[in-house]
Amino acid sequence: MSHHTLDVTNLGFAYPDGTVALTGVSFHLGHGESVAIVGANGAGKSTLLMHLNGFLSPSKGEVRIGGLPVTKHTVKDIRKTVGMVFQDPDDQLFMPTVAEDVAFGPMNLGLSPEEIDARVDEALSRVGSLALKDRPPYRLSGGEKRAVSIATVLAMSPSMLVLDEPSSNLDPRARRRLIALLATFEHTKVIATHDLDLALDLCERTIVMSGGTVTADGPTREIFCDDALLEASGLERPLALQACPVCARA
Amino acid sequence: MPSIEQGLYQLGQLDRLAYQDTAVHRLDPRAKVLTTLVFLVCVVSFGKYDVLPLLPFVLFPLVIASRGDLPIGFLMRKVLIVAPFAVVIGMFNPILDRTVVGQLGGLAITGGWVSFASILLRFSLTTIAALALIGTTSFTGVCMAIEKLGAPDVFATQMLLLYRYIFVLGEEGMRMTRARALRSFDGRGMGPRVYGQMMGSLLLRTYARAQRIYLAMLCRGFDGHVRVRARLRFTGRDAAFVLGWSAAFVLLRLYNVPLLVGQIVTGVPS
């Protein structure tokens, strides 16, 4: 199952207006690994994610998914392998009903109607949203939208999940439920987030980005205890690693 | 601009009605679209001065609305909202066309008033039939039906996306107007200049969103065709619905049934 790996080598990217967004980004992700990409706003996280799916083509270096370089020719296969969950579920849910939306990907894969139905039901039950099947997306709560967005991607059976700010705009319970859900996935996961507690719960490894480059890459707990690094990258220790405000014990 | 809010709410209300489960809702969308189409063609094709033969057509939207559990009052209010358009179109008829065509009590009825009444009646009939169609089929259902009936794919896709994002766009506009109202005082800040800038920024936001949606679609293998999952089944019941109503419409179009009934009742052949 080598197609679950991700290799980014010396990746550089500048937007057409000359803004340099990424310089010399390199890392390797093994099968089933779960990594958090953290960094201040404008650190280049989103630009990096856009490369994992072939939306943007590198100005320098390359991205390989399962050993396959991401190019114009491979982009179709890459997109079957990499499931991308967008930050705003309203961008992701564009079909009139939840079921239609989850079926969108499988239908484009040209699967049989029975197979499509099976995949829709399976993906929706996986995220606990089977009951929402016939609802229009604009009548879902934020948490429900997020769960359904993830189902739309799961229905394509990707090997790798890329999530952009999965916990943004969720209430505490919905966020907790999302974390529990993501923990059940065995996919290789790349999670770009500001929610460092979520990163601590889900990812054994963290990549810190700052100014378009990787400034640290290592075990999550170690990185989040390195106050000098966090300060330099515009981050803060996750609450779980801060001293308790009541008893002042860490 | 609470009107955006109100508009969205009412659209949502029509949408909710469409998700009921009645015998009319369960009919194949194509059957309802076809029947409504025949209805519209028949109603619109009447002559300028026809009022009487149009009256029996009221039955169709009434039956659909009552069998489909749509509140008639709600539909009528919707018709009233758009009624000014029809009134404007017909308002000069009574002034321009003063030929006397009949007497009612001591009152001379001119051709202008008859044609005005005909326009209003046709307008109400067609609008209420369209609303009854959407209220029992859902906008999405109508789109799917016209696509399966052979309308171009692009057309159906446009309609589907339009309907999906009208709520998102409406809410975005609503938030912007709210934000403006909260920081505008004594009418300052509410002028057309700010309004224009707001529309511009809404357009740019829409453009950015369209790009993100397109990316999300590409991500899931979009190749230019939106495939709809729902498989429709056209049963004998649907065929009976289409044929029964259509036959009635055509008969009512060809024969002036109210007049015939009147003649039979009063025994006066014309």
Side-chain angles (χ1 to χ4, degrees), chain A residues 125-205:
Chain A
S125 354
R126 190 81 199 270
V127 301
S129 306
L130 196 56
L132 306 175
K133 212 173 157 184
D134 296 315
R135 288 248 230 122
Y138 48 84
R139 215 165 292 140
L140 301 179
S141 73
E144 289 170 336
K145 277 188 192 170
R146 187 76 55 166
V148 173
S149 299
I150 293 172
T152 65
V153 166
L154 289 182
M156 301 188 63
S157 329
S159 331
M160 187 183 297
L161 287 178
V162 176
L163 301 113
D164 193 359
E165 292 288 357
S167 62
S168 61
N169 294 325
L170 293 185
D171 63 52
R173 186 171 297 167
R175 173 182 168 276
R176 191 45 65 193
R177 232 179 286 156
L178 174 90
I179 292 177
L181 173 69
L182 292 178
T184 64
F185 296 155
E186 282 138 26
H187 307 76
T188 306
K189 287 189 283 278
V190 179
I191 305 178
T193 185
H194 288 305
D195 184 346
L196 301 190
D197 286 282
L198 172 138
L200 198 60
D201 284 351
L202 286 176
C203 308
E204 57 273 21
R205 177 176 162 198

Side-chain angles (χ1 to χ4, degrees), chain B residues 10-238:
Chain B
Q10 296 199 339
L11 199 61
Q13 203 177 351
L14 191 62
D15 203 67
R16 256 192 294 284
L17 289 172
Y19 283 95
Q20 298 180 106
D21 188 31
T22 69
V24 184
H25 285 83
R26 280 193 294 273
L27 283 168
D28 189 298
R30 284 170 295 182
K32 284 176 274 185
V33 168
L34 280 176
T35 311
T36 308
L37 197 67
V38 177
F39 175 86
L40 294 182
V41 169
C42 287
V43 167
V44 170
S45 68
F46 272 103
K48 191 176 165 193
Y49 295 112
D50 288 330
V51 173
L52 201 59
L54 277 169
L55 293 176
F57 281 90
V58 174
L59 264 181
F60 174 66
L62 284 186
V63 169
I64 296 291
S66 68
R67 305 280 295 150
D69 255 344
L70 305 180
I72 302 274
F74 173 75
L75 297 183
M76 290 310 289
R77 275 199 299 279
K78 290 262 133 5
V79 174
L80 279 183
I81 293 170
V82 270
F85 292 103
V87 172
V88 168
I89 289 170
M91 67 199 268
F92 292 108
N93 288 18
I95 301 165
L96 299 175
D97 183 354
R98 288 167 177 277
T99 4
V100 175
V101 291
Q103 296 280 337
L104 190 72
L107 233 61
I109 312 276
T110 64
W113 281 108
V114 175
S115 62
F116 185 46
S118 180
I119 285 174
L120 285 189
L121 193 56
R122 270 185 275 183
F123 161 79
S124 314
L125 282 174
T126 47
T127 313
I128 207 164
L131 287 171
L133 173 70
I134 293 174
T136 54
T137 316
S138 83
F139 192 82
T140 315
V142 174
C143 290
M144 284 195 302
I146 56 174
E147 201 243 355
K148 301 251 164 165
L149 285 171
D153 196 25
V154 179
F155 184 64
T157 308
Q158 284 287 331
M159 302 270 281
L160 281 178
L161 288 175
L162 172 82
Y163 194 66
R164 165 69 184 90
Y165 283 101
I166 205 162
F167 291 94
V168 177
L169 181 70
E171 273 167 25
E172 212 155 83
M174 203 164 79
R175 282 195 296 269
M176 281 174 91
T177 39
R178 236 183 243 159
R180 174 179 66 157
L182 286 176
R183 286 185 289 141
S184 299
F185 302 99
D186 301 329
R188 268 173 299 180
M190 300 294 276
R193 204 175 64 86
V194 182
Y195 187 76
Q197 283 166 345
M198 277 171 63
M199 292 313 275
S201 100
L202 199 58
L203 181 73
L204 289 178
R205 283 191 200 189
T206 310
Y207 186 71
R209 185 184 288 280
Q211 239 167 358
R212 292 198 302 271
I213 295 165
Y214 181 59
L215 288 187
M217 293 172 89
L218 282 182
C219 224
R220 289 194 274 146
F222 179 63
D223 57 0
H225 292 282
V226 171
R227 297 168 181 83
V228 175
R229 189 180 72 110
R231 280 165 307 236
L232 306 175
R233 209 172 294 130
F234 201 86
T235 60
R237 212 167 68 91
D238 298 309

Side-chain angles (χ1 to χ4, degrees), chain A residues 3 36 40 44 55 87 89 106-107 136 148 154 185 188 195 197 199 206-207 217 238 250:
Chain A
H3 55 288
F55 294 142
Q87 188 176 353
M107 293 213 54
V148 173
L154 289 182
F185 296 155
T188 306
D195 184 346
D197 286 282
T206 292
I207 293 176
D217 180 353

